Amino acid sequence: MTRTGTDRSRTPEGARTALRDTLRAHLEGGGSLLLTGPEGIGRTTTAARLADGLAARGHRVLRCSPSPSDRDSPFLGLIDLLATAGDEALDCLAAHERAVLEGALLRRTPPAGAGPGTGRDALVLRLAVRKVLAALATTGPLLLVVDDVQWLDEPTARVLVFLARRAGPHHAVLATLRTSPHGGRGPDTAPARELCPQPVRTLPLPPMTVREIAGVLDAHGVHGGLSWPRQLVARLHEAASGNPRTALELAAGLHESTAAGSPLPDSSEPLPVPESLSRPVLDRLAALPGRARKLLLTAGAAVHPTVELLRRAGCRQAAADIDLCVRHGLLAPPDRGALRFTDPITPMVLEARAPYALRMEAHRALAEAADDPVERAQHLARLAAGPDPVVADRLVEAASAARRRGEPGTAARLGRLAARHTPADGARTGTARRLTAAEDALDAGDLDFARELAYEVLEDAGRAADRVRAWTVVVDASGQAMAEVADVFPQAVRDAGEDPGLLAPLHYRMSWHAWMVGGSAGRARDHAARAAGLAARAGDRRTEVLALTQQAALELFLGLPGAESTLAAALAAPHDAYAMSHHNGPIYLKHRFHLAHDQLDEARAELRTLVYTLRQRGSADCLSQCLIGLAQLEIQRGRCRQALSMARQSLRIAERAGLSQGPAWYAVALAETAGGSLGEALAAAEAARRHSEDDDDRLFLPRALHAEGRIRLFSGEYARAARLLRRTGEMESAQGQGDPATRRWHADLAEALARSGAVDEAESVIDRARAQAVRLGRTGVLATLDRAAATVCEERGGLEAAARGYEEAAARLRAAGYALEEARTRVALGRVRRRLGDEDASHAAFARALRVFTAAGARAWAAGVRAERDRAEGAPLPRPDDAAWPERLSSTERSVVARVAQGATNREIAAGLTLSVKTVEAALTRAYRKLGARSRVEITRIVMTRPAA
């Protein structure tokens, strides 16, 4: 099933939240920041949120926001900065210092002949301001915020430069600087940096992502409460270059247009540009000679403008005109002959304002000049006044060319143009072209476009085959949110009648619905088997292969003995190229069978080959899913950096293509748990859960819960982890899971239960899973269950038996190639050996685990193990049976010390627990006192010796 869908659960603010966390940490550490970017990019908003966040954490924040008219008003910036500092803040000054400063602040009239900006008084003023800031800093960290520093008056700037060079610990500065919006060099940042005490970091604020722009539009309600298609939001994002203010103005213009009765523009129609955005562009164009304006119009009409294409299209002095446009900031310098507008709004304005005759002349010249069939066909379509069979045929050929070179989105647009130019007497041909375009749109991730084309067909089509094909597009466009299309299946089955060729693809999709929405792998398997049989009768090898693959996957999940044979039938000739390279095809499934047999190298080889193929020519959906699988595999192999890279790539692809993001966030959660930050991992797991719940996707929801449960387990939140993992187990068992190697949650659940006191329940989970694993020969699963059994022994007080169990489990995991699981087991072994008083064996276990975690790039794990290994010599060690220390701490203190034991910094702990850094520091200080510890190492030693339930 195509795993795509509408993003209804956007995580708020996305990457900018993580960016602000990084910047806040820099400011909290005493550094200064200079944020740069064009007007509207969000510098002011970002600075305000950073300042507000620091104010909430105890910082004293002084602000000024100068405007262009303020540059000629001496000390206006200083007046604004000290506006909230009352007269009592000046009590630290000598009489003359106070008089000079109050004169500059216009709080008193300076003596005749004196002036704070001149002579000796200028130095007195600077020293006075420095004393006031030092006094204000005694009550907490001090931050000066200067928004739009380019408008700051010169006298205030000189004072701030003086202070920056002699800052000491008194203050940090957060400044914002406006840069050119059109790719020019913009203002020099050096003067602004001089206002900022060291260390100073200069950061160009990045454009917003599509998801962030969508959040801004929702927050401002510019679409009048209506839900705009994701692809339309993506076009707004692209036209605005990720600038939120530009996107809002474009969206407001679009809303105004629709409110006046105009329909929303489809992907082939230009977006309306409001006067507020078009006027500056027109003013800049007016400064150019007519020849350069003609070149820009031609470049805007081209699909892929190049210097040579424009020259062939009649712009004979293209090089000189391009150079002029580059100097005016309208074009970027050519990159190997390719041209790019610095502002995407410019070609939109040219398209809207140029006379029709001139636009058609440009398309005619480009059609004659283009040597690319795709480019030529699009210009011919613009020139055709109505249905034209020759143009339609050329468009079909161009769509095929685009499809062959891996551009399904272009193929979809060309296919719809071909359908529109097909004469009325070729209605069936036009319908077929629309359907092909809809399927191309699915491959491109343009789900709204695919649905639109499918419903166009359903309005007119009378043939059962066309209607069923359109219904399958509607189903596939729902992606993970298959609950939304439950009513489609009865209509589609009715249209299919008794035709096996039409019923087969429907039963294949009904199999996915039964599993994802109904939560029944057994019913899903029956539909898949029926689909495979019907497809075989109809001679539809593609559907047969996909259905057999689905049947094999379900039989593997159910633990049925015929799974290997069913997969072999899917892999047998004749092959279907589409199915063999699809993430729901047999090649992808083959790697999961390898994983079930603990054949990690074979599984990786299969997936790497498939990913390489998909990068060359494949859909965004398939590539995203295969990268998810590869990320999970790299985690199991102990290659955390590679796993993080793969998971993040998958998420970027899903975001860009509008795919359902639950699976990608799940992969990010796993990768961050292994090789990143537990705080980031938890945020990703919660995002995965929200997406799956919003989509009513019962297939991925238990995986998201498992990811979150593991993070809680590793953070020492055993009771919470047990609740999440228990729910995972209930959902997977209800679906019919019979092979514990397909979803490896059993050992994690047993460990969480044992650590939280439910030892008997933990043992029951282990026994059931062990019986399944023994029957199916799942060696890797048995090794993790051995570790869980050792945890049960440990919690029951059998420390010697637990140590032996951990030793044996670690050896088996090492033999099977599961590096991180082996190291995790050795950490547990080291803790038990310490409780037994065997410090040498404990140190050796920790050292071996640390080597594995370090080689794997598992940063958080390595930090925690390092803290245990390097504990302070001679620190008092709690008795093995002493479980009283957790009761001596509050719930907040327990949460803090559990994260300290994992090696987290105070800032990471604060982010993970949604606390201020000061609160974390206070809780840690109290924990030191209550536990008699003198350092983080001693805290770690105490906690790891007897983890809190």
Side-chain angles (χ1 to χ4, degrees):
M1 181 65 199
T2 302
R3 299 189 193 281
T4 52
T6 305
D7 181 13
R8 286 172 302 284
S9 58
R10 302 182 188 97
T11 54
E13 302 178 339
R16 290 216 169 186
T17 300
L19 175 64
R20 280 200 298 273
D21 289 343
T22 301
L23 299 181
R24 186 180 295 116
H26 180 74
L27 290 169
E28 285 182 326
S32 296
L33 281 175
L34 175 61
L35 300 179
T36 67
E39 183 179 8
I41 197 65
R43 292 171 293 108
T44 297
T45 300
T46 300
R49 292 187 179 180
L50 282 170
D52 291 345
L54 290 172
R57 293 168 182 251
H59 280 61
R60 178 74 177 266
V61 179
L62 307 179
R63 313 179 197 228
C64 70
S65 301
S67 62
S69 62
D70 295 346
R71 297 193 70 175
D72 299 325
S73 302
F75 297 112
L76 187 55
L78 187 62
I79 291 171
D80 287 343
L81 283 171
L82 295 179
T84 59
D87 290 341
E88 66 277 5
L90 279 58
D91 291 345
C92 62
L93 302 177
H96 181 60
E97 292 172 331
R98 182 166 187 150
V100 172
L101 180 53
E102 287 180 334
L105 299 179
L106 302 182
R107 297 185 186 182
R108 73 158 58 177
T109 301
T118 60
R120 180 174 177 272
D121 284 345
L123 178 58
V124 171
L125 172 69
R126 296 170 189 176
L127 292 173
V129 174
R130 186 168 186 263
K131 284 185 179 180
V132 169
L133 295 186
L136 292 174
T138 59
T139 60
L142 184 63
L143 176 69
L144 307 187
V145 180
V146 185
D147 189 23
D148 275 333
V149 70
Q150 72 277 0
W151 307 129
L152 189 66
D153 64 273
E154 187 62 28
T156 298
R158 287 196 295 267
V159 171
L160 292 180
V161 170
F162 174 86
L163 295 173
R165 292 170 179 171
R166 295 161 181 81
H170 299 152
H171 72 281
V173 169
L174 167 57
T176 73
L177 175 68
R178 182 184 302 181
T179 55
S180 169
H182 301 299
R185 292 184 60 189
D188 185 6
T189 61
R193 285 176 61 89
E194 290 181 358
L195 276 61
C196 303
Q198 296 292 334
V200 57
R201 178 178 177 183
T202 301
L203 181 78
L205 202 62
M208 283 190 170
T209 64
V210 176
R211 188 175 74 253
E212 289 166 338
I213 289 291
V216 169
L217 299 182
D218 287 344
H220 286 77
V222 292
H223 38 51
L226 299 176
S227 178
W228 282 352
R230 194 212 67 86
Q231 286 299 123
L232 180 57
V233 176
R235 290 184 65 196
L236 289 170
H237 169 268
E238 182 179 6
S241 299
N243 187 303
R245 183 180 300 176
T246 304
L248 283 169
E249 292 190 54
L250 284 170
L254 186 57
H255 176 58
E256 184 178 335
S257 173
T258 56
S262 300
L264 289 174
D266 63 30
S267 58
S268 65
E269 297 171 331
L271 295 171
V273 181
E275 183 69 16
S276 61
L277 294 176
S278 60
R279 178 47 52 193
V281 174
L282 292 170
D283 290 343
R284 298 170 72 211
L285 292 172
L288 297 175
R291 196 181 67 204
R293 291 199 299 272
K294 178 187 175 184
L295 177 136
L296 289 172
L297 177 63
T298 308
V303 180
H304 300 293
T306 64
V307 177
E308 181 57 31
L309 176 61
L310 296 183
R311 188 179 292 115
R312 292 200 305 266
C315 303
R316 291 182 174 79
Q317 299 184 46
D321 292 334
I322 289 169
D323 183 62
L324 178 62
C325 293
V326 170
R327 290 201 306 273
H328 278 74
L330 291 160
L331 290 176
D335 180 10
R336 289 174 289 187
L339 294 175
R340 178 181 62 83
F341 284 89
T342 57
D343 183 0
I345 297 292
T346 302
M348 296 165 59
V349 173
L350 286 165
E351 168 78 11
R353 299 302 182 96
Y356 176 81
L358 289 181
R359 297 202 309 270
M360 292 304 102
E361 180 184 333
H363 286 295
R364 189 173 294 106
L366 288 166
E368 294 173 358
D371 52 14
D372 175 39
V374 173
E375 173 117 27
R376 186 185 306 114
Q378 294 192 66
H379 294 302
L380 290 174
R382 294 295 301 270
L383 293 167
D388 186 323
V390 175
V391 171
D393 289 343
R394 296 284 287 277
L395 287 164
V396 169
E397 294 168 6
S400 297
R403 200 177 300 115
R404 284 193 300 273
R405 62 195 191 193
E407 299 176 4
T410 300
R413 292 191 297 273
L414 291 168
R416 184 170 68 170
L417 285 172
R420 287 181 172 178
H421 285 85
T422 300
D425 57 5
R428 287 182 59 179
T429 301
T431 295
R433 288 170 174 171
R434 275 192 180 83
L435 287 168
T436 300
E439 290 159 354
D440 285 330
L442 283 176
D443 284 340
D446 194 342
L447 309 181
D448 299 310
F449 189 27
R451 274 190 293 268
E452 178 185 333
L453 289 167
Y455 279 115
E456 283 180 11
V457 170
L458 289 167
E459 285 179 6
D460 302 324
R463 294 179 67 238
D466 293 337
R467 295 185 63 79
V468 171
R469 190 175 167 191
W471 285 125
T472 61
V473 169
V474 172
V475 172
D476 289 353
S478 70
Q480 305 295 112
M482 290 196 76
E484 296 179 354
V485 293
D487 60 337
V488 165
F489 290 108
Q491 300 176 69
V493 169
R494 190 162 51 249
D495 284 335
E498 300 296 324
D499 188 328
L502 301 181
L503 288 170
L506 293 177
H507 277 283
Y508 171 65
R509 286 157 178 82
M510 290 161 73
S511 171
W512 280 104
H513 185 270
W515 197 3
M516 293 172 64
V517 180
S520 171
R523 288 198 302 274
R525 188 261 176 200
D526 293 342
H527 278 295
R530 186 172 181 188
L534 289 165
R537 283 170 50 195
D540 179 359
R541 182 57 179 166
R542 173 174 299 180
T543 301
E544 183 185 10
V545 169
L546 291 172
L548 285 169
T549 303
Q550 171 77 337
Q551 181 182 342
L554 289 159
E555 289 171 347
L556 175 66
F557 179 80
L558 292 165
L560 300 180
E564 303 269 3
S565 299
T566 305
L567 177 61
L571 289 165
H575 297 143
D576 179 85
Y578 175 88
M580 300 306 269
S581 62
H582 200 275
H583 69 273
N584 290 324
I587 298 296
Y588 181 83
L589 181 60
K590 189 177 178 183
H591 101 273
R592 289 174 52 198
F593 275 78
H594 284 312
L595 285 179
H597 294 298
D598 304 316
Q599 298 167 341
L600 303 187
D601 291 339
E602 291 86 343
R604 181 172 182 265
E606 296 282 3
L607 265 189
R608 280 173 57 86
T609 301
L610 188 53
V611 166
Y612 177 80
T613 300
L614 291 170
R615 286 194 192 278
Q616 306 304 310
R617 186 180 296 116
S619 73
D621 185 19
C622 288
L623 180 57
S624 177
Q625 289 295 323
C626 287
L627 287 170
I628 289 170
L630 195 53
Q632 293 176 258
L633 183 55
E634 296 291 21
I635 291 168
Q636 291 172 311
R637 297 178 70 243
R639 293 162 57 90
C640 297
R641 286 181 291 272
Q642 293 85 344
L644 273 168
S645 174
M646 299 292 178
R648 289 167 179 165
Q649 285 181 54
S650 173
L651 181 59
R652 285 196 297 271
I653 291 168
E655 289 176 341
R656 192 163 54 244
L659 310 175
S660 285
Q661 294 171 24
W665 278 116
Y666 164 73
V668 171
L670 296 182
E672 287 284 357
T673 302
S677 151
L678 288 184
E680 293 291 332
L682 183 59
E686 290 171 341
R689 173 170 51 79
R690 286 194 301 271
H691 280 266
S692 298
E693 287 173 342
D694 283 0
D695 288 339
D696 196 19
D697 180 359
R698 300 187 189 181
L699 181 57
F700 257 93
L701 179 56
R703 301 188 210 183
L705 293 169
H706 181 200
E708 185 176 349
R710 280 169 58 88
I711 297 162
R712 302 290 185 188
L713 172 63
F714 300 156
S715 299
E717 300 176 60
Y718 300 129
R720 196 165 181 181
R723 287 195 297 272
L724 288 162
L725 293 167
R726 189 185 282 116
R727 188 178 170 200
T728 298
E730 289 168 352
M731 293 185 71
E732 297 281 23
S733 299
Q735 289 181 18
Q737 182 184 12
D739 187 340
T742 56
R743 307 273 198 277
R744 304 192 182 202
W745 48 266
H746 308 75
D748 291 328
L749 171 58
E751 183 173 339
L753 290 169
R755 297 293 189 198
S756 61
V759 180
D760 292 340
E761 185 182 353
E763 194 165 49
S764 177
V765 169
I766 293 169
D767 290 344
R768 287 195 301 272
R770 191 188 299 280
Q772 294 173 331
V774 168
R775 176 175 64 84
L776 297 167
R778 303 306 190 215
T779 305
V781 173
L782 287 168
T784 60
L785 292 173
D786 287 344
R787 181 186 62 221
T791 303
V792 170
C793 285
E794 179 186 352
E795 291 300 316
R796 284 179 169 158
L799 299 185
E800 288 288 358
R804 290 193 300 272
Y806 286 135
E807 286 274 15
E808 293 169 3
R812 296 181 71 175
L813 288 165
R814 179 178 177 82
Y818 294 103
L820 294 189
E821 293 294 336
E822 178 209 349
R824 177 182 160 191
T825 306
R826 293 196 184 279
V827 170
L829 172 63
R831 292 169 182 162
V832 168
R833 286 297 183 194
R834 176 167 295 162
R835 292 181 66 192
L836 288 166
D838 190 346
E839 285 295 321
D840 289 341
S842 173
H843 191 280
F846 285 138
R848 191 160 181 179
L850 181 59
R851 285 197 298 273
V852 175
F853 284 137
T854 302
R859 295 180 298 158
W861 281 101
V865 174
R866 193 175 290 113
E868 294 197 62
R869 184 201 62 180
D870 299 336
R871 73 192 185 286
E873 292 294 330
L877 187 67
R879 297 188 305 275
D881 59 348
D882 179 12
W885 73 262
E887 284 69 39
R888 298 202 293 269
L889 303 182
S890 69
S891 59
T892 298
E893 291 161 358
R894 284 198 299 273
S895 298
V896 168
V897 298
R899 284 163 171 77
V900 167
Q902 288 290 335
T905 66
N906 286 358
R907 290 196 186 93
E908 290 172 338
I909 295 169
L913 296 177
T914 320
L915 301 172
S916 71
V917 174
K918 284 186 175 295
T919 301
V920 170
E921 291 170 349
L924 192 53
T925 299
R926 292 193 301 271
Y928 283 151
R929 185 176 64 253
K930 293 177 181 180
L931 299 178
R934 298 187 299 270
S935 68
R936 298 173 78 90
V937 172
E938 290 186 22
I939 284 282
T940 299
R941 184 184 189 193
I942 293 169
V943 172
M944 293 302 187
T945 302
R946 183 73 182 184

